[in-house]
């Protein structure tokens, strides 16, 4: 038998050739040195995980459900869990699809909604993972500018008109209205109302990604785009043009990969078919575990909110103390992230090695822009930082920024 | 606010419009009547699940790993599990990607390999779920005829030549060489050797789906296509044109959704990127659970093999006794399925309501053919049937077939 050594990289699909290793993944490698204080990741605080409760829940679920917890189960997901989720928004369980992490929800939505060349509207900046989920379906992106209040709705209207005038109306808008990743910003009620009405008028679907909504530590809650869309559809979830995505990753634990999508029945019907081909179903045990843990959830959310709120306050105070004039930053009312804007002309990617040399790390902002921009921005995560790390880290970063500005 | 009631089914992607509810799912609904003995499903026997061992493993994993078992983890998968899998074929862990069920492996492979219009070669019949995974990437299918010995390699060669002559060489061959779903057939060593050399010569990738390989209850093991491909590549896993997919679903339990893909590094690199956008990673806890259960696996496999072997033998004996002359069936040496062929002209889909009226159910064979055919075939699963169900069920089905043939 002669040895055959084909070059297998030549057999990949066109879509695979457009995929890249996540810029952030590569950046994080630089920052992973043992003595560097890193605000670059976006991990929920592991010291707050209800480990003991999960262990008891595993015992209970395996005792009560036995083999059923370990057998194949329906693609739609575990009905008691779907019913609990549906009740939060007063919709039927048939409008809820359980998915293996929000990331799968975004992938499946891309699969059933996006044709090659379809225009997807995203915030500038937006969640990088969503771009990765949509990319294999080869959309075109249009960026919607944002300011301290989130999406600029007048700019959105201009883009929608422009796309429609070009005869290629946008397919969907992807938005994170609460404590956005990466900026920590929250969209106001007035803008939400305008956004929902505008997109409905233009026939543009909205994917509302809301992993952090429950983690509000200051200010007043604002209705979700989903709720406003539901009202606009006369309360009928099967005609709501807003699709809602959320998860137990940030409120409970991320490692179980339990999340969901709420959508109109025609979309759910296709999500089910797409999910059958994608992983058949989300692990049975994991869905039963989360269901068993639902009574713990309110207390857990309180714990997480209190911790993240204190960490955010401390980080903001330390930034006030240590950062030079001319550096701007967001003041999140919830979630895990804070966004820093340096004077135009400074480049946070070029600056990162200096920061790492000063034993502090962040994520440069530009990878979060679908079409580029934001070279002078950076993201800080406070969710899993200790008080000392925040104090020492912000002082160090302040020194780096002062040096850069000098 | 005026009520807006958009028709959301008009916003779906072209690929979503080609997706259909699984024919089998619809058929199974017909068969789900409480007093019907169903051989239609394909479920592993739940009474054999090592529930107590899983419960102990959950306790151990959560005690030993704590928050790490519930935190985000790497896309590639849990290293100790990847190392164990890699060692089975003597390859490095970097050639192993953990996936959320084999179904996800097939979806990700479709994503990174198949361009619209690419020719995918499949057995006639083949696993329906694979067709569902590949469908969103809009391939063309070519069916390769099979006989009692599995894929007809001469027919494969003719198809490969024909495709090449048309200037559009096939992209990949999808095959299940061991105890195939749906036929229960196994490909001989001679044919495996020929298949691997042929596909290598034609530059056609092979996806070897092997969920049942460990469940051989009679006959002698045959090397996998992956091993033969590895030898052909001079032992270098990065030039093996065979991609191997397997799972813990049939050997341990399916509800944890732990499976893997082994492939050359250029393919794995793209699988990682695709999986990042698809579900970030397979649930951390589930990967640690399976790793903790590896010592139990050999005993568990013995238990399952013994049970399935006895059930298969009993089903074959009952078929011999009750089925009329002119009805042919496969004699599986492992796995979960047996395939029945009626005389040409009979239609198993039309016959199903009669069978259900006689309190017995099967899956008609035609949905397993990518391009149609097999109207006179049906699949029986013995994996989760009791002795009485087999005896009563085969007698009832025999009576239905005699009536149909009369």
């Amino acid at each position: 038998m002669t040895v055959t050594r084909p070059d297998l990289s030549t057999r990949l699909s066109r879509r695979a050739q457009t995929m890249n290793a996540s810029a952030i993944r590569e950046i994080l490698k630089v920052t992973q040195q043992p003595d560097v204080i890193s605000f670059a990741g976006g991990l929920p605080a592991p010291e707050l995980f209800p480990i003991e409760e999960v262990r008891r829940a595993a015992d209970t679920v395996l005792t009560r459900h036995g083999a059923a917890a370990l057998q194949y189960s329906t693609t739609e997901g575990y009905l008691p869990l779907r019913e609990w989720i549906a009740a939060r928004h007063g919709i039927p369980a048939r409008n809820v699809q359980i998915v293996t992490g929000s990331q799968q929800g975004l992938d499946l939505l891309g699969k059933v909604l996006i044709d090659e060349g379809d225009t997807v509207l995203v915030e500038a900046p937006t969640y990088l993972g969503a771009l990765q989920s949509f990319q294999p379906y080869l959309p075109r992106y249009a960026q919607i500018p944002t300011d301290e209040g989130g999406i600029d709705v007048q700019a959105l209207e201009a883009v929608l008109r422009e796309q429609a005038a070009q005869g290629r109306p946008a397919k969907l808008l992807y938005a994170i209205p609460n404590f956005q990743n990466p900026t920590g910003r929250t969209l106001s009620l007035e803008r939400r109302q305008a956004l929902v009405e505008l997109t409905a008028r233009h026939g543009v679907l909205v994917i509302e990604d809301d992993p952090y909504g429950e983690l509000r530590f200051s200010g007043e809650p604002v209705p979700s785009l989903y709720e406003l869309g539901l009202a606009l559809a006369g309360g009928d979830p099967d005609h709501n043009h807003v699709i809602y995505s959320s998860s137990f990753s940030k409120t409970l634990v991320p490692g179980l990969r339990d999340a969901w999508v709420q959508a109109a029945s025609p979309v759910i019907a296709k999500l089910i078919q797409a999910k059958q081909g994608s992983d058949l179903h989300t692990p049975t045990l994991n869905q039963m575990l989360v269901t068993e843990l639902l009574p713990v959830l309110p207390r857990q959310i309180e714990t997480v909110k209190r911790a993240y709120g204190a960490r955010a306050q401390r980080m903001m105070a330390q930034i006030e103390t240590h950062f030079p004039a001319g550096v701007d930053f967001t003041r999140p009312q919830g979630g895990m992230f804070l966004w820093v804007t340096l004077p135009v002309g400074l480049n946070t990617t070029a600056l990162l090695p200096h920061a790492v040399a000063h034993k502090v790390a962040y994520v440069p902002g530009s990878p979060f822009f679908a079409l580029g921009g934001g070279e002078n921005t950076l993201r800080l995560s406070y969710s899993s930082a200790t008080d000392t790390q925040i104090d020492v880290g912000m002082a160090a970063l302040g020194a780096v920024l002062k040096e850069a500005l000098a």
Side-chain angles (χ1 to χ4, degrees), chain A:
Chain A
M1 183 148 79
T2 13
V3 169
T4 308
R5 299 177 56 88
D7 177 4
L8 296 166
S9 66
T10 61
R11 313 296 161 79
L12 299 166
S13 64
R14 203 159 50 85
R15 103 177 52 76
Q17 290 162 30
T18 74
M19 294 177 195
N20 287 304
S22 154
I24 287 189
R25 240 169 106 104
E26 298 308 305
I27 288 163
L28 289 182
K29 284 184 190 160
V30 178
T31 67
Q32 275 159 6
Q33 298 177 16
D35 53 346
V36 169
I37 301 174
S38 179
F39 304 97
L43 295 182
E47 75 277 11
L48 306 179
F49 289 173
I51 303 168
E52 195 43 46
E53 287 81 351
V54 176
R55 186 160 53 179
R56 275 202 300 274
D59 198 74
T60 306
V61 162
L62 286 162
T63 304
R64 189 189 309 142
H65 298 284
L70 303 171
Q71 184 59 289
Y72 285 116
S73 57
T74 62
T75 304
E76 292 87 335
Y78 185 51
L79 188 59
L81 185 57
R82 291 165 63 219
E83 283 172 341
W84 183 89
I85 292 165
R88 294 170 76 238
H89 282 119
I91 57 172
R94 70 175 154 77
N95 292 103
V96 176
Q97 166 70 57
I98 303 291
V99 291
T100 312
S102 280
Q103 200 71 32
Q104 187 186 44
L106 299 177
D107 174 52
L108 296 178
L109 287 168
K111 209 177 230 182
V112 308
L113 295 175
I114 302 173
D115 279 318
E116 181 169 353
D118 273 354
T119 301
V120 172
L121 308 177
V122 294
E123 296 167 90
T126 189
Y127 171 54
L128 189 66
L131 302 178
Q132 276 187 293
S133 290
F134 299 151
Q135 185 52 38
Y137 309 109
L138 305 174
R140 293 186 322 131
Y141 290 109
Q143 290 194 152
I144 311 299
T146 63
D147 59 24
E148 189 50 49
I151 289 179
D152 177 338
V153 180
Q154 286 185 319
L156 172 63
E157 181 159 24
V159 172
L160 288 171
R161 280 178 201 279
E162 189 188 306
Q163 301 274 346
Q166 288 171 4
R168 34 190 312 167
K171 180 53 123 356
L172 63 87
L173 166 66
Y174 169 77
I176 308 152
N178 289 320
F179 327 126
Q180 198 228 24
N181 181 1
T183 64
R185 288 170 183 153
T186 296
L187 196 63
S188 69
L189 175 57
E190 199 178 15
R191 289 194 183 187
R192 288 177 192 226
Q193 195 70 57
L195 182 153
V196 167
E197 291 182 18
L198 254 176
T199 48
R201 199 157 64 236
H202 282 267
V204 171
L205 299 173
V206 177
I207 298 177
E208 175 180 31
D209 195 3
D210 190 28
Y212 317 108
E214 302 267 14
L215 304 182
R216 175 181 283 280
F217 44 71
S218 68
E220 288 307 312
V222 193
S224 63
L225 302 179
Y226 185 85
E227 290 166 279
L228 299 175
L230 194 58
L232 193 64
D236 181 352
D238 289 339
H239 290 92
N240 190 349
H241 76 294
V242 181
I243 296 165
Y244 183 86
S245 161
S246 191
S247 159
F248 294 99
S249 290
K250 306 305 191 295
T251 52
L252 195 58
V253 294
L256 294 175
R257 315 302 297 125
D258 277 303
W260 74 91
V261 174
Q262 292 166 210
S265 293
V267 175
I268 291 284
K270 285 298 166 184
L271 284 181
I272 294 170
Q273 292 168 17
K275 187 171 163 70
Q276 266 191 279
S278 288
D279 68 355
L280 279 181
H281 64 85
T282 293
T284 319
L285 176 66
N286 302 234
Q287 296 184 66
M288 289 179 171
L289 274 179
V290 166
T291 308
E292 185 65 24
L293 289 162
L294 290 174
V296 175
L297 194 60
R299 201 189 63 215
Q300 183 62 21
I301 289 173
E302 279 309 309
T303 304
V304 172
K305 274 161 58 169
R306 204 162 35 235
Y308 291 5
R311 290 167 196 185
Q313 289 305 325
R314 190 170 195 107
M315 185 175 274
M316 290 188 271
Q318 291 293 323
I319 288 176
E320 296 276 13
T321 307
H322 295 291
F323 283 21
V327 174
D328 202 12
F329 63 97
T330 59
R331 284 161 182 82
Q333 300 193 318
M336 298 164 52
F337 304 107
L338 180 154
W339 185 248
V340 178
T341 305
L342 310 187
V344 172
L346 286 181
N347 184 309
T348 56
T349 305
L351 212 57
L352 184 60
H354 297 276
V356 171
H358 282 74
K359 308 298 178 201
V360 62
Y362 55 80
V363 184
S366 60
F368 295 98
F369 290 78
L371 303 175
E375 288 76 9
N376 58 325
T377 59
L378 62 90
R379 188 191 75 179
L380 296 173
S381 168
Y382 46 78
S383 52
S384 52
T386 64
D387 287 357
T388 311
Q389 286 172 332
I390 291 172
D391 295 354
V392 175
M394 289 306 105
L397 189 52
V400 171
L401 297 180
K402 278 174 190 157
E403 198 180 296
L405 274 166

